[in-house]
Amino acid sequence: MLNLLLLSLVKRKTTIEEKAVRIQNGEEELLSSLLDEYKPFIKKTVSSVCKRYITESDDEFSIGLIAFHDAIVKYNTEKGSSFISFSEVIIKRKVIDYIRKNGKYQDISVDMNNTDDEDLPSLHIEQLAAVDEYQRKEDARLRREEILQFTKQLEEYNLTFEDLIDASPKHEDARMNAINISMIVVNEMEFKDYLLAKKRLPIKKLEKTVSVSRKTIERNRKYIIAMCLILMGDYVYLKDYLKGRLG
Amino acid sequence: MKKGIIMDIKSDALVMMTAEGEFIKGKKHPHQHYSIGEEIPFFPVTGERFSKGRRTGRIRWKVLLASCAVFALLLILLPGTLTEDRKAYAYVSLDINPSLELTLDEEKKVLDIVSYNEEGDEILSSLHQWRNSKADEVTSKIFDLCEELGYFSETDHIYMTSSFPDEKDGKAKESFIKSIYTMIEDENQSRPVTITYKEASREERKEAHEKGVTAGHLMREEEKEIEADPGKEDEKMELKNEDKPSDQPPAKDETKKKNAGQKDTVDKEEKREEKATPRPKADSPEKQKQEKEQKQKEDIRPKKGPQQPDKPQEPKERGNDRQDKTGRQGEWTPPGQQEKKNDQGGKQKDIEKHDRRMKEKEAPQGDKPPGNRGEDRGRKEGWNKNHKQND
């Protein structure tokens, strides 16, 4: 009896983030139980996207399950975000992509079948428009939350968006160089720790590592710090928007 | 045009981030709604940077400019309005038994009321809230108070006089006066009084003020005097003519004063001469006498000390010495003999001093009695005389 109580206490104390880490470390048995446990959450999230009741037999639900699994595998505790919010983002994104693809398929099928029902194409178009609008608004909402968090973090480093506008390199090559430097800073633990602790760039050491002059680094200092914060932080949508530059 | 997401919304611009990672300033339309995180196309605003210092400087400069403009307007408008409101347009005096003078502005509002007698003071003390009130309201109250206090039973006449501090257009002046006269006439229709109006010049008003009465009162008195004695005008003229000769006495007085001054100077000079001339004559012998007396005293003082026991005999000798001296002075002698006498006198004095010293030396020994001393003196003196005679 005591053993059972201890086991239950241990189970209660374990958080979902810890479970995700354990699954990443090889406990595959825990994965199926976690999926079963969070099915209601997955249904709710998918339903919010589709704006209709979702059952386990729906394709969208299956997509949600796949997304939840991907979230478990990709989750990183070091970024500091909660697993629930992270997984919600992933689920919504995949479901939206599925709906978009499925919508294109429906358009093609309608054209090939040449059905007499005139309302069907308009319904599909309206649905697609609604989904697109919803997706746009949802992305904007989630980005807004990230931007507000980013603004607070800039304040910690005594930076403002006005500073970033003034310090942002105008030329593409210069901007790429600055982004590359920020990636180096983030990937090197020594540089990263220095930046987090001192709230400024380790310019002397960085000068020896990169093939850029000290003057250039100092000129773009604020921009480099801002890019580092985006790369280090849990800014999923901002990174996705900059994926063409952040790699 | 570019496309990006809204990172921040400012009052006059948007902070945008493009997919290439560039932070750029975007144009903001005043009537469009924006939200952070929204992806939109936008027009970049180049050339302008966010500079807080400059903005604050500009804002301060604008605020300063606006405040200066407001201040300038106040300086221009307020003094003008104040002066316009407070500027006296006309003085209207009312002489019933109380004598009052009202200062009115162009809009016929009462700026000031001055009383010229006790009855006027009484009226003024009972009058309230008259400043900046309309003239008709104030005059109505004045007449009501006069009726209550019984001044209309004493007299049945109201003398109204107007005076203007500045030169005014004839028509404007006339219309102003008519309105005031009509106002007063209307207010007293129910009263059995006669209103007499006259216009006074600035000089007349000044003269009246100097005498402590209203212009109307002064004019009335002058009229009464003329009515009573028509000849007074001639007398006044005569008085004026008589005043003219008064110019001459000052000249005479001046000449007299000058003459007096000259006399004074002459007298002073004479006095100075008088003072100067007798002083050396009168003072010199006196001074000589004084000097002699002092010398005598000086000579006598050392004698007193050692000769105290000889007091009963010394006065006689002294008296004799004095008589001899006076006698010598009275006698006339030739200059040569005078010099000789003086020389002899000096020698004698020296000898006497020597003798005294010798006596003083001998006195403490006590060998000889006082009587002997006197004899010795007599002998020596006799010797001296004999010696002189032999010479």
Side-chain angles (χ1 to χ4, degrees):
Chain A
M1 290 297 290
L2 289 173
N3 291 331
L4 289 172
L5 287 172
L6 288 171
L7 286 171
S8 65
L9 287 172
V10 168
K11 287 181 179 179
R12 290 177 184 174
K13 290 182 179 178
T14 307
T15 61
I16 188 167
E17 287 81 9
E18 291 174 355
K19 288 179 181 178
V21 172
R22 287 165 64 186
I23 291 166
Q24 289 173 7
N25 292 332
E27 294 185 21
E28 294 181 0
E29 294 175 358
L30 191 59
L31 178 60
S32 61
S33 65
L34 195 62
L35 287 170
D36 290 335
E37 186 180 353
Y38 281 86
K39 278 183 179 179
F41 168 73
I42 296 167
K43 282 183 185 178
K44 183 182 175 184
T45 306
V46 173
S47 178
S48 67
V49 173
C50 300
K51 294 188 175 179
R52 63 184 177 83
Y53 181 76
I54 297 296
T55 62
E56 292 185 6
S57 61
D58 290 333
D59 293 337
E60 289 82 356
F61 178 74
S62 300
I63 298 298
L65 284 172
I66 294 167
F68 189 79
H69 178 267
D70 290 342
I72 291 168
V73 173
K74 294 179 180 178
Y75 178 72
N76 187 353
T77 55
E78 293 180 356
K79 294 185 176 180
S81 64
S82 68
F83 177 79
I84 294 297
S85 61
F86 177 71
S87 62
E88 185 180 2
V89 170
I90 301 297
I91 290 165
K92 287 181 176 179
R93 185 185 293 177
K94 284 190 177 291
V95 170
I96 289 166
D97 290 339
Y98 171 78
I99 290 169
R100 185 178 291 167
K101 290 177 182 178
N102 194 21
K104 289 180 180 178
Y105 176 74
Q106 284 181 0
D107 288 338
I108 293 167
S109 66
V110 165
D111 293 335
M112 291 177 69
N113 291 332
N114 293 323
T115 58
D116 296 333
D117 192 356
E118 295 179 356
D119 295 336
L120 191 59
S122 64
L123 287 172
H124 282 292
I125 292 166
E126 288 177 0
Q127 285 178 355
L128 288 173
V131 168
D132 287 340
E133 180 64 18
Y134 174 80
Q135 183 183 2
R136 189 178 68 79
K137 288 184 177 179
E138 189 67 14
D139 290 347
R141 184 181 70 80
L142 294 170
R143 269 202 295 267
R144 181 173 182 276
E145 292 176 0
E146 289 186 357
I147 290 165
L148 293 176
Q149 183 64 29
F150 182 58
T151 305
K152 290 181 181 178
Q153 201 169 14
L154 286 174
E155 289 176 359
E156 293 174 8
Y157 288 77
N158 198 24
L159 296 174
T160 61
F161 283 115
E162 292 86 348
D163 296 330
L164 297 183
I165 287 171
D166 294 336
S168 183
K170 305 303 177 187
H171 297 286
E172 184 68 17
D173 294 341
R175 197 157 51 246
M176 283 304 300
N177 284 333
I179 291 169
N180 289 332
I181 291 168
S182 62
M183 293 174 80
I184 290 167
V185 170
V186 170
N187 291 328
E188 291 288 333
M189 287 301 293
E190 186 182 0
F191 296 161
K192 184 179 175 183
D193 293 340
Y194 187 93
L195 176 62
L196 292 170
K198 304 286 186 180
K199 309 294 183 190
R200 61 176 183 267
L201 289 175
I203 294 174
K204 288 183 179 179
K205 293 181 179 179
L206 196 58
E207 184 183 4
K208 297 176 183 178
T209 306
V210 300
S211 62
V212 180
S213 68
R214 182 189 180 92
K215 186 175 181 181
T216 304
I217 295 168
E218 286 181 349
R219 187 187 306 128
N220 301 318
R221 176 179 59 84
K222 294 178 179 178
Y223 181 78
I224 292 166
I225 290 171
M227 288 293 111
C228 288
L229 295 175
I230 291 171
L231 289 168
M232 292 188 297
D234 187 24
Y235 302 113
V236 176
Y237 281 87
L238 291 176
K239 288 178 189 177
D240 183 64
Y241 192 75
L242 298 170
K243 61 189 176 183
R245 290 286 177 273
L246 302 180
Chain B
M1 184 180 284
K2 290 190 176 183
K3 194 171 186 180
I5 57 175
I6 300 170
M7 302 296 284
D8 198 5
I9 301 169
K10 300 295 183 183
S11 60
D12 57 342
L14 302 170
V15 179
M16 306 297 292
M17 184 180 81
T18 63
E20 291 77 26
E22 184 182 10
F23 292 92
I24 196 166
K25 187 178 179 183
K27 188 175 181 181
K28 181 183 177 186
H29 295 283
H31 302 294
Q32 191 170 345
H33 178 70
Y34 299 99
S35 62
I36 292 173
E38 188 180 0
E39 185 181 15
I40 60 167
F42 68 97
F43 291 97
V45 178
T46 58
E48 294 181 6
R49 290 193 172 188
F50 292 101
S51 56
K52 296 177 182 178
R54 290 180 185 177
R55 285 184 175 180
T56 54
R58 288 178 184 176
I59 290 164
R60 289 177 184 175
W61 181 76
K62 288 180 180 178
V63 169
L64 285 173
L65 188 65
S67 62
C68 288
V70 170
F71 189 68
L73 286 173
L74 290 174
L75 285 177
I76 292 163
L77 294 175
L78 284 179
T81 54
L82 289 172
T83 52
E84 287 175 3
D85 291 340
R86 303 301 299 174
K87 188 175 182 181
Y89 186 81
Y91 301 102
V92 176
S93 65
L94 299 172
D95 294 286
I96 302 164
N97 189 357
S99 291
L100 297 166
E101 184 186 64
L102 284 70
T103 305
L104 307 179
D105 64 4
E106 195 169 358
E107 298 176 356
K108 299 169 196 161
K109 288 185 178 178
V110 178
L111 301 178
D112 194 18
I113 299 175
V114 178
S115 169
Y116 286 90
N117 57 8
E118 292 181 1
E119 291 80 2
D121 294 335
E122 191 176 359
I123 295 292
L124 196 57
S125 64
S126 302
L127 202 61
H128 302 293
Q129 296 181 353
W130 51 264
R131 197 178 296 275
N132 290 324
S133 298
K134 292 184 179 179
D136 57 350
E137 294 174 0
V138 177
T139 53
S140 177
K141 290 179 182 177
I142 290 169
F143 295 133
D144 289 341
L145 285 168
C146 288
E147 191 170 15
E148 289 176 8
L149 295 169
Y151 292 121
F152 281 129
S153 62
E154 296 177 7
T155 181
D156 59 350
H157 225 103
I158 297 172
Y159 294 93
M160 173 188 167
T161 310
S162 67
S163 176
F164 293 86
D166 302 323
E167 292 183 1
K168 299 285 192 302
D169 183 19
K171 291 183 180 179
K173 187 191 293 185
E174 189 176 353
S175 65
F176 189 90
I177 292 162
K178 279 185 179 179
S179 65
I180 297 295
Y181 182 84
T182 305
M183 174 183 71
I184 292 170
E185 192 175 27
D186 292 341
E187 288 170 3
N188 292 285
Q189 283 182 354
S190 62
R191 299 188 182 100
V193 296
T194 305
I195 302 168
T196 303
Y197 167 76
K198 288 191 176 180
E199 185 178 344
S201 65
R202 282 180 282 177
E203 291 76 16
E204 287 172 335
R205 181 171 174 271
K206 285 182 181 179
E207 187 181 354
H209 278 196
E210 289 174 358
K211 295 183 178 180
V213 296
T214 61
H217 188 79
L218 180 64
M219 294 170 77
R220 196 170 27 149
E221 285 182 347
E222 288 178 352
E223 287 175 0
K224 284 181 180 178
E225 289 176 358
I226 291 164
E227 288 174 1
D229 294 323
K232 282 189 177 180
E233 288 187 350
D234 297 333
E235 289 178 2
K236 288 182 180 178
M237 295 297 293
E238 288 175 2
L239 289 171
K240 290 181 181 178
N241 291 325
E242 286 177 2
D243 291 336
K244 290 181 181 179
S246 66
D247 295 335
Q248 293 177 2
K252 290 180 181 180
D253 293 335
E254 288 177 0
T255 55
K256 287 180 182 179
K257 288 180 181 177
K258 288 180 181 178
N259 293 327
Q262 290 176 0
K263 290 180 181 179
D264 291 336
T265 54
V266 171
D267 293 335
K268 288 178 182 178
E269 289 174 359
E270 290 175 358
K271 288 179 181 178
R272 287 176 185 173
E273 289 175 0
E274 289 175 0
K275 290 179 182 178
T277 50
R279 284 181 181 177
K281 292 180 181 179
D283 293 338
S284 61
E286 291 177 358
K287 287 183 179 179
Q288 288 176 4
K289 288 180 182 179
Q290 289 176 0
E291 288 174 359
K292 288 180 181 179
E293 289 175 359
Q294 287 178 359
K295 287 180 182 179
Q296 289 175 3
K297 289 179 182 178
E298 288 175 359
D299 293 336
I300 289 162
R301 286 177 183 175
K303 293 178 183 179
K304 290 182 181 178
Q307 297 173 1
Q308 287 179 0
D310 300 336
K311 285 181 181 179
Q313 296 178 2
E314 288 177 358
K316 293 180 180 180
E317 293 176 358
R318 290 178 183 176
N320 292 327
D321 293 337
R322 287 179 181 177
Q323 289 175 1
D324 293 338
K325 288 180 181 179
T326 54
R328 290 177 184 175
Q329 289 178 358
E331 295 175 357
W332 181 83
T333 56
Q337 290 182 1
Q338 286 180 355
E339 290 176 358
K340 288 181 181 179
K341 285 182 180 180
N342 290 328
D343 293 336
Q344 290 174 3
K347 289 180 181 178
Q348 287 178 1
K349 288 180 181 178
D350 293 335
I351 291 161
E352 287 175 0
K353 287 181 181 178
H354 182 73
D355 293 339
R356 289 170 190 168
R357 288 176 182 173
M358 293 298 290
K359 287 179 182 179
E360 289 175 1
K361 289 181 181 179
E362 289 174 358
Q365 294 176 1
D367 295 336
K368 295 180 181 178
N372 293 328
R373 291 180 182 176
E375 289 175 357
D376 291 336
R377 285 182 181 178
R379 289 178 183 177
K380 288 181 180 179
E381 288 176 358
W383 182 77
N384 288 328
K385 288 179 181 179
N386 293 325
H387 184 70
K388 288 179 182 178
Q389 288 174 2
N390 292 330
D391 292 335

